[in-house]
Amino acid sequence: AVVQQAVRAHAGWALDAAVAQVSVTSWHDPAAVRAAPRDGIHFHGLVLEGAGWAAAEAALQECGPKELFAPMPVLQAVAVPLPAPGQRRPPPGPDLGPFGGYPCPVFRAPRRRHLLFTVPLPSRDARPAHWRARGVALLLNADLADH
């Protein structure tokens, strides 16, 4: 829906030549968001499983003992056009750290039946393979049981 809205708003964009780009904001409390973004949407309520979130570094960190889920800050999704053939890709949005970030899968529930999308999460201390081996994922609802 974010991509469709952007294609309608930007003359010359084609639906098959645009993708959604999701990034983490610095707002931990959704009430702190004072206005809608100029482009895209803000959304919240996701939880991180298998890792923690270091607010000061805005990056993944090891989870604490007996900590199953860590709440995530507000996220923002915007549509970006894909580069034309032969053009260089524009630089990625936020700083994803020295390892390029972890493409974190997003699932509806802990049983992880259906991949919804991925979010590039900054990683300052470990390579993406480290987080993949730990099974790090974002969940829309940690309490929801898949049927």
PDB file of all heavy atoms in Angstrom, residues 4-36:
ATOM      1  N   GLN A   4       2.053   1.750  -3.539  1.00  0.00           N
ATOM      2  CA  GLN A   4       0.952   2.209  -4.392  1.00  0.00           C
ATOM      3  C   GLN A   4       0.662   3.690  -4.179  1.00  0.00           C
ATOM      4  O   GLN A   4       0.461   4.425  -5.146  1.00  0.00           O
ATOM      5  CB  GLN A   4      -0.307   1.382  -4.124  1.00  0.00           C
ATOM      6  CG  GLN A   4      -0.206  -0.028  -4.627  1.00  0.00           C
ATOM      7  CD  GLN A   4      -1.419  -0.866  -4.239  1.00  0.00           C
ATOM      8  OE1 GLN A   4      -2.114  -0.564  -3.279  1.00  0.00           O
ATOM      9  NE2 GLN A   4      -1.654  -1.927  -4.977  1.00  0.00           N
ATOM     10  N   GLN A   5       0.642   4.126  -2.935  1.00  0.00           N
ATOM     11  CA  GLN A   5       0.403   5.547  -2.639  1.00  0.00           C
ATOM     12  C   GLN A   5       1.492   6.410  -3.264  1.00  0.00           C
ATOM     13  O   GLN A   5       1.218   7.472  -3.814  1.00  0.00           O
ATOM     14  CB  GLN A   5       0.358   5.775  -1.125  1.00  0.00           C
ATOM     15  CG  GLN A   5      -0.830   5.173  -0.443  1.00  0.00           C
ATOM     16  CD  GLN A   5      -2.078   6.032  -0.613  1.00  0.00           C
ATOM     17  OE1 GLN A   5      -2.037   7.120  -1.131  1.00  0.00           O
ATOM     18  NE2 GLN A   5      -3.191   5.506  -0.174  1.00  0.00           N
ATOM     19  N   ALA A   6       2.735   5.989  -3.148  1.00  0.00           N
ATOM     20  CA  ALA A   6       3.849   6.770  -3.690  1.00  0.00           C
ATOM     21  C   ALA A   6       3.796   6.843  -5.206  1.00  0.00           C
ATOM     22  O   ALA A   6       4.069   7.894  -5.793  1.00  0.00           O
ATOM     23  CB  ALA A   6       5.172   6.170  -3.235  1.00  0.00           C
ATOM     24  N   VAL A   7       3.445   5.738  -5.847  1.00  0.00           N
ATOM     25  CA  VAL A   7       3.362   5.721  -7.312  1.00  0.00           C
ATOM     26  C   VAL A   7       2.279   6.691  -7.784  1.00  0.00           C
ATOM     27  O   VAL A   7       2.466   7.417  -8.762  1.00  0.00           O
ATOM     28  CB  VAL A   7       3.115   4.290  -7.825  1.00  0.00           C
ATOM     29  CG1 VAL A   7       2.730   4.279  -9.288  1.00  0.00           C
ATOM     30  CG2 VAL A   7       4.345   3.429  -7.583  1.00  0.00           C
ATOM     31  N   ARG A   8       1.175   6.735  -7.068  1.00  0.00           N
ATOM     32  CA  ARG A   8       0.109   7.684  -7.424  1.00  0.00           C
ATOM     33  C   ARG A   8       0.561   9.130  -7.246  1.00  0.00           C
ATOM     34  O   ARG A   8       0.158  10.014  -7.991  1.00  0.00           O
ATOM     35  CB  ARG A   8      -1.127   7.424  -6.581  1.00  0.00           C
ATOM     36  CG  ARG A   8      -1.853   6.166  -6.941  1.00  0.00           C
ATOM     37  CD  ARG A   8      -3.148   6.026  -6.140  1.00  0.00           C
ATOM     38  NE  ARG A   8      -3.683   4.694  -6.297  1.00  0.00           N
ATOM     39  CZ  ARG A   8      -3.882   3.838  -5.315  1.00  0.00           C
ATOM     40  NH1 ARG A   8      -3.629   4.184  -4.062  1.00  0.00           N
ATOM     41  NH2 ARG A   8      -4.367   2.641  -5.552  1.00  0.00           N
ATOM     42  N   ALA A   9       1.381   9.371  -6.219  1.00  0.00           N
ATOM     43  CA  ALA A   9       1.799  10.739  -5.895  1.00  0.00           C
ATOM     44  C   ALA A   9       2.966  11.236  -6.752  1.00  0.00           C
ATOM     45  O   ALA A   9       3.163  12.442  -6.872  1.00  0.00           O
ATOM     46  CB  ALA A   9       2.182  10.831  -4.425  1.00  0.00           C
ATOM     47  N   HIS A  10       3.754  10.348  -7.316  1.00  0.00           N
ATOM     48  CA  HIS A  10       4.940  10.743  -8.085  1.00  0.00           C
ATOM     49  C   HIS A  10       4.742  10.404  -9.561  1.00  0.00           C
ATOM     50  O   HIS A  10       4.714   9.229  -9.921  1.00  0.00           O
ATOM     51  CB  HIS A  10       6.195  10.040  -7.562  1.00  0.00           C
ATOM     52  CG  HIS A  10       6.579  10.434  -6.180  1.00  0.00           C
ATOM     53  ND1 HIS A  10       6.074   9.817  -5.059  1.00  0.00           N
ATOM     54  CD2 HIS A  10       7.407  11.393  -5.730  1.00  0.00           C
ATOM     55  CE1 HIS A  10       6.574  10.371  -3.981  1.00  0.00           C
ATOM     56  NE2 HIS A  10       7.397  11.339  -4.364  1.00  0.00           N
ATOM     57  N   ALA A  11       4.645  11.404 -10.368  1.00  0.00           N
ATOM     58  CA  ALA A  11       4.506  11.187 -11.808  1.00  0.00           C
ATOM     59  C   ALA A  11       5.768  10.507 -12.336  1.00  0.00           C
ATOM     60  O   ALA A  11       6.884  10.841 -11.946  1.00  0.00           O
ATOM     61  CB  ALA A  11       4.303  12.519 -12.517  1.00  0.00           C
ATOM     62  N   GLY A  12       5.591   9.545 -13.185  1.00  0.00           N
ATOM     63  CA  GLY A  12       6.726   8.860 -13.781  1.00  0.00           C
ATOM     64  C   GLY A  12       7.169   7.606 -13.047  1.00  0.00           C
ATOM     65  O   GLY A  12       8.027   6.884 -13.542  1.00  0.00           O
ATOM     66  N   TRP A  13       6.625   7.349 -11.861  1.00  0.00           N
ATOM     67  CA  TRP A  13       6.969   6.121 -11.150  1.00  0.00           C
ATOM     68  C   TRP A  13       6.057   4.997 -11.630  1.00  0.00           C
ATOM     69  O   TRP A  13       4.858   5.189 -11.812  1.00  0.00           O
ATOM     70  CB  TRP A  13       6.770   6.291  -9.653  1.00  0.00           C
ATOM     71  CG  TRP A  13       7.828   7.054  -8.938  1.00  0.00           C
ATOM     72  CD1 TRP A  13       8.634   8.015  -9.448  1.00  0.00           C
ATOM     73  CD2 TRP A  13       8.178   6.924  -7.565  1.00  0.00           C
ATOM     74  NE1 TRP A  13       9.457   8.502  -8.480  1.00  0.00           N
ATOM     75  CE2 TRP A  13       9.201   7.849  -7.312  1.00  0.00           C
ATOM     76  CE3 TRP A  13       7.726   6.140  -6.528  1.00  0.00           C
ATOM     77  CZ2 TRP A  13       9.788   8.000  -6.061  1.00  0.00           C
ATOM     78  CZ3 TRP A  13       8.310   6.286  -5.287  1.00  0.00           C
ATOM     79  CH2 TRP A  13       9.334   7.200  -5.056  1.00  0.00           C
ATOM     80  N   ALA A  14       6.620   3.836 -11.807  1.00  0.00           N
ATOM     81  CA  ALA A  14       5.842   2.651 -12.161  1.00  0.00           C
ATOM     82  C   ALA A  14       5.770   1.739 -10.943  1.00  0.00           C
ATOM     83  O   ALA A  14       6.721   1.648 -10.162  1.00  0.00           O
ATOM     84  CB  ALA A  14       6.494   1.920 -13.328  1.00  0.00           C
ATOM     85  N   LEU A  15       4.650   1.073 -10.785  1.00  0.00           N
ATOM     86  CA  LEU A  15       4.448   0.205  -9.624  1.00  0.00           C
ATOM     87  C   LEU A  15       5.497  -0.901  -9.543  1.00  0.00           C
ATOM     88  O   LEU A  15       5.981  -1.226  -8.467  1.00  0.00           O
ATOM     89  CB  LEU A  15       3.039  -0.391  -9.648  1.00  0.00           C
ATOM     90  CG  LEU A  15       2.608  -1.189  -8.430  1.00  0.00           C
ATOM     91  CD1 LEU A  15       2.708  -0.342  -7.163  1.00  0.00           C
ATOM     92  CD2 LEU A  15       1.193  -1.692  -8.601  1.00  0.00           C
ATOM     93  N   ASP A  16       5.885  -1.435 -10.690  1.00  0.00           N
ATOM     94  CA  ASP A  16       6.872  -2.517 -10.675  1.00  0.00           C
ATOM     95  C   ASP A  16       8.309  -2.006 -10.603  1.00  0.00           C
ATOM     96  O   ASP A  16       9.253  -2.792 -10.590  1.00  0.00           O
ATOM     97  CB  ASP A  16       6.690  -3.437 -11.882  1.00  0.00           C
ATOM     98  CG  ASP A  16       6.838  -2.722 -13.202  1.00  0.00           C
ATOM     99  OD1 ASP A  16       6.852  -1.473 -13.219  1.00  0.00           O
ATOM    100  OD2 ASP A  16       6.943  -3.412 -14.238  1.00  0.00           O
ATOM    101  N   ALA A  17       8.489  -0.696 -10.521  1.00  0.00           N
ATOM    102  CA  ALA A  17       9.833  -0.109 -10.440  1.00  0.00           C
ATOM    103  C   ALA A  17      10.035   0.653  -9.134  1.00  0.00           C
ATOM    104  O   ALA A  17      10.850   1.564  -9.055  1.00  0.00           O
ATOM    105  CB  ALA A  17      10.082   0.802 -11.628  1.00  0.00           C
ATOM    106  N   ALA A  18       9.268   0.282  -8.111  1.00  0.00           N
ATOM    107  CA  ALA A  18       9.412   0.908  -6.791  1.00  0.00           C
ATOM    108  C   ALA A  18       9.285  -0.172  -5.724  1.00  0.00           C
ATOM    109  O   ALA A  18       8.592  -1.170  -5.917  1.00  0.00           O
ATOM    110  CB  ALA A  18       8.351   1.983  -6.586  1.00  0.00           C
ATOM    111  N   VAL A  19       9.971   0.032  -4.609  1.00  0.00           N
ATOM    112  CA  VAL A  19       9.924  -0.910  -3.491  1.00  0.00           C
ATOM    113  C   VAL A  19       9.763  -0.153  -2.183  1.00  0.00           C
ATOM    114  O   VAL A  19      10.065   1.040  -2.109  1.00  0.00           O
ATOM    115  CB  VAL A  19      11.201  -1.790  -3.417  1.00  0.00           C
ATOM    116  CG1 VAL A  19      11.314  -2.709  -4.620  1.00  0.00           C
ATOM    117  CG2 VAL A  19      12.437  -0.938  -3.267  1.00  0.00           C
ATOM    118  N   ALA A  20       9.318  -0.850  -1.157  1.00  0.00           N
ATOM    119  CA  ALA A  20       9.205  -0.247   0.169  1.00  0.00           C
ATOM    120  C   ALA A  20      10.541  -0.382   0.880  1.00  0.00           C
ATOM    121  O   ALA A  20      11.191  -1.425   0.829  1.00  0.00           O
ATOM    122  CB  ALA A  20       8.107  -0.923   0.981  1.00  0.00           C
ATOM    123  N   GLN A  21      10.954   0.685   1.539  1.00  0.00           N
ATOM    124  CA  GLN A  21      12.184   0.689   2.338  1.00  0.00           C
ATOM    125  C   GLN A  21      11.780   1.012   3.774  1.00  0.00           C
ATOM    126  O   GLN A  21      11.136   2.026   4.028  1.00  0.00           O
ATOM    127  CB  GLN A  21      13.155   1.732   1.804  1.00  0.00           C
ATOM    128  CG  GLN A  21      14.466   1.776   2.526  1.00  0.00           C
ATOM    129  CD  GLN A  21      15.403   2.804   1.902  1.00  0.00           C
ATOM    130  OE1 GLN A  21      14.984   3.752   1.257  1.00  0.00           O
ATOM    131  NE2 GLN A  21      16.677   2.601   2.102  1.00  0.00           N
ATOM    132  N   VAL A  22      12.135   0.138   4.711  1.00  0.00           N
ATOM    133  CA  VAL A  22      11.750   0.297   6.114  1.00  0.00           C
ATOM    134  C   VAL A  22      12.984   0.635   6.933  1.00  0.00           C
ATOM    135  O   VAL A  22      14.035   0.015   6.766  1.00  0.00           O
ATOM    136  CB  VAL A  22      11.079  -0.984   6.655  1.00  0.00           C
ATOM    137  CG1 VAL A  22      10.682  -0.820   8.103  1.00  0.00           C
ATOM    138  CG2 VAL A  22       9.876  -1.353   5.802  1.00  0.00           C
ATOM    139  N   SER A  23      12.835   1.608   7.835  1.00  0.00           N
ATOM    140  CA  SER A  23      13.943   1.979   8.714  1.00  0.00           C
ATOM    141  C   SER A  23      13.419   2.210  10.130  1.00  0.00           C
ATOM    142  O   SER A  23      12.229   2.451  10.335  1.00  0.00           O
ATOM    143  CB  SER A  23      14.656   3.228   8.194  1.00  0.00           C
ATOM    144  OG  SER A  23      13.751   4.307   8.119  1.00  0.00           O
ATOM    145  N   VAL A  24      14.320   2.122  11.090  1.00  0.00           N
ATOM    146  CA  VAL A  24      13.985   2.303  12.501  1.00  0.00           C
ATOM    147  C   VAL A  24      14.159   3.789  12.843  1.00  0.00           C
ATOM    148  O   VAL A  24      15.171   4.390  12.504  1.00  0.00           O
ATOM    149  CB  VAL A  24      14.895   1.445  13.400  1.00  0.00           C
ATOM    150  CG1 VAL A  24      14.520   1.607  14.868  1.00  0.00           C
ATOM    151  CG2 VAL A  24      14.818  -0.016  12.990  1.00  0.00           C
ATOM    152  N   THR A  25      13.172   4.366  13.527  1.00  0.00           N
ATOM    153  CA  THR A  25      13.281   5.761  13.961  1.00  0.00           C
ATOM    154  C   THR A  25      13.847   5.810  15.376  1.00  0.00           C
ATOM    155  O   THR A  25      14.083   4.778  15.998  1.00  0.00           O
ATOM    156  CB  THR A  25      11.908   6.465  13.954  1.00  0.00           C
ATOM    157  OG1 THR A  25      11.116   5.944  15.029  1.00  0.00           O
ATOM    158  CG2 THR A  25      11.181   6.276  12.626  1.00  0.00           C
ATOM    159  N   SER A  26      14.022   7.003  15.890  1.00  0.00           N
ATOM    160  CA  SER A  26      14.532   7.164  17.261  1.00  0.00           C
ATOM    161  C   SER A  26      13.407   7.257  18.288  1.00  0.00           C
ATOM    162  O   SER A  26      13.671   7.339  19.482  1.00  0.00           O
ATOM    163  CB  SER A  26      15.410   8.411  17.347  1.00  0.00           C
ATOM    164  OG  SER A  26      14.654   9.549  16.988  1.00  0.00           O
ATOM    165  N   TRP A  27      12.155   7.221  17.858  1.00  0.00           N
ATOM    166  CA  TRP A  27      11.026   7.322  18.787  1.00  0.00           C
ATOM    167  C   TRP A  27      10.714   5.961  19.402  1.00  0.00           C
ATOM    168  O   TRP A  27      10.383   5.014  18.714  1.00  0.00           O
ATOM    169  CB  TRP A  27       9.775   7.830  18.086  1.00  0.00           C
ATOM    170  CG  TRP A  27       9.893   9.221  17.562  1.00  0.00           C
ATOM    171  CD1 TRP A  27      10.201  10.346  18.269  1.00  0.00           C
ATOM    172  CD2 TRP A  27       9.700   9.635  16.218  1.00  0.00           C
ATOM    173  NE1 TRP A  27      10.202  11.434  17.446  1.00  0.00           N
ATOM    174  CE2 TRP A  27       9.894  11.025  16.173  1.00  0.00           C
ATOM    175  CE3 TRP A  27       9.372   8.967  15.043  1.00  0.00           C
ATOM    176  CZ2 TRP A  27       9.775  11.764  15.011  1.00  0.00           C
ATOM    177  CZ3 TRP A  27       9.260   9.701  13.889  1.00  0.00           C
ATOM    178  CH2 TRP A  27       9.459  11.078  13.880  1.00  0.00           C
ATOM    179  N   HIS A  28      10.790   5.878  20.715  1.00  0.00           N
ATOM    180  CA  HIS A  28      10.454   4.632  21.401  1.00  0.00           C
ATOM    181  C   HIS A  28       8.997   4.629  21.829  1.00  0.00           C
ATOM    182  O   HIS A  28       8.400   3.571  21.975  1.00  0.00           O
ATOM    183  CB  HIS A  28      11.367   4.427  22.616  1.00  0.00           C
ATOM    184  CG  HIS A  28      12.782   4.255  22.196  1.00  0.00           C
ATOM    185  ND1 HIS A  28      13.261   3.078  21.706  1.00  0.00           N
ATOM    186  CD2 HIS A  28      13.812   5.121  22.150  1.00  0.00           C
ATOM    187  CE1 HIS A  28      14.534   3.214  21.378  1.00  0.00           C
ATOM    188  NE2 HIS A  28      14.888   4.453  21.637  1.00  0.00           N
ATOM    189  N   ASP A  29       8.434   5.800  22.015  1.00  0.00           N
ATOM    190  CA  ASP A  29       7.039   5.939  22.412  1.00  0.00           C
ATOM    191  C   ASP A  29       6.245   6.485  21.219  1.00  0.00           C
ATOM    192  O   ASP A  29       6.541   7.576  20.730  1.00  0.00           O
ATOM    193  CB  ASP A  29       6.931   6.908  23.593  1.00  0.00           C
ATOM    194  CG  ASP A  29       5.508   7.089  24.083  1.00  0.00           C
ATOM    195  OD1 ASP A  29       4.608   6.355  23.607  1.00  0.00           O
ATOM    196  OD2 ASP A  29       5.297   7.959  24.942  1.00  0.00           O
ATOM    197  N   PRO A  30       5.254   5.738  20.734  1.00  0.00           N
ATOM    198  CA  PRO A  30       4.481   6.219  19.593  1.00  0.00           C
ATOM    199  C   PRO A  30       3.802   7.575  19.841  1.00  0.00           C
ATOM    200  O   PRO A  30       3.568   8.335  18.908  1.00  0.00           O
ATOM    201  CB  PRO A  30       3.429   5.134  19.373  1.00  0.00           C
ATOM    202  CG  PRO A  30       3.865   3.975  20.159  1.00  0.00           C
ATOM    203  CD  PRO A  30       4.824   4.430  21.182  1.00  0.00           C
ATOM    204  N   ALA A  31       3.539   7.900  21.105  1.00  0.00           N
ATOM    205  CA  ALA A  31       2.919   9.183  21.423  1.00  0.00           C
ATOM    206  C   ALA A  31       3.860  10.352  21.143  1.00  0.00           C
ATOM    207  O   ALA A  31       3.414  11.493  21.013  1.00  0.00           O
ATOM    208  CB  ALA A  31       2.471   9.208  22.880  1.00  0.00           C
ATOM    209  N   ALA A  32       5.160  10.075  21.046  1.00  0.00           N
ATOM    210  CA  ALA A  32       6.138  11.132  20.767  1.00  0.00           C
ATOM    211  C   ALA A  32       6.116  11.577  19.305  1.00  0.00           C
ATOM    212  O   ALA A  32       6.636  12.636  18.972  1.00  0.00           O
ATOM    213  CB  ALA A  32       7.538  10.665  21.141  1.00  0.00           C
ATOM    214  N   VAL A  33       5.519  10.770  18.445  1.00  0.00           N
ATOM    215  CA  VAL A  33       5.427  11.129  17.029  1.00  0.00           C
ATOM    216  C   VAL A  33       4.352  12.196  16.892  1.00  0.00           C
ATOM    217  O   VAL A  33       3.182  11.944  17.178  1.00  0.00           O
ATOM    218  CB  VAL A  33       5.088   9.893  16.165  1.00  0.00           C
ATOM    219  CG1 VAL A  33       4.981  10.278  14.702  1.00  0.00           C
ATOM    220  CG2 VAL A  33       6.113   8.801  16.375  1.00  0.00           C
ATOM    221  N   ARG A  34       4.754  13.375  16.478  1.00  0.00           N
ATOM    222  CA  ARG A  34       3.828  14.521  16.441  1.00  0.00           C
ATOM    223  C   ARG A  34       3.087  14.677  15.120  1.00  0.00           C
ATOM    224  O   ARG A  34       2.038  15.284  15.071  1.00  0.00           O
ATOM    225  CB  ARG A  34       4.580  15.812  16.749  1.00  0.00           C
ATOM    226  CG  ARG A  34       5.172  15.835  18.131  1.00  0.00           C
ATOM    227  CD  ARG A  34       4.063  15.995  19.146  1.00  0.00           C
ATOM    228  NE  ARG A  34       4.627  15.974  20.485  1.00  0.00           N
ATOM    229  CZ  ARG A  34       4.056  15.400  21.501  1.00  0.00           C
ATOM    230  NH1 ARG A  34       2.907  14.795  21.362  1.00  0.00           N
ATOM    231  NH2 ARG A  34       4.614  15.419  22.684  1.00  0.00           N
ATOM    232  N   ALA A  35       3.644  14.168  14.044  1.00  0.00           N
ATOM    233  CA  ALA A  35       3.015  14.347  12.736  1.00  0.00           C
ATOM    234  C   ALA A  35       3.328  13.146  11.851  1.00  0.00           C
ATOM    235  O   ALA A  35       4.324  12.450  12.048  1.00  0.00           O
ATOM    236  CB  ALA A  35       3.526  15.623  12.077  1.00  0.00           C
ATOM    237  N   ALA A  36       2.482  12.955  10.872  1.00  0.00           N
ATOM    238  CA  ALA A  36       2.723  11.893   9.903  1.00  0.00           C
ATOM    239  C   ALA A  36       3.922  12.276   9.037  1.00  0.00           C
ATOM    240  O   ALA A  36       4.181  13.466   8.827  1.00  0.00           O
ATOM    241  CB  ALA A  36       1.488  11.713   9.023  1.00  0.00           C
TER     242      ALA A  36
END
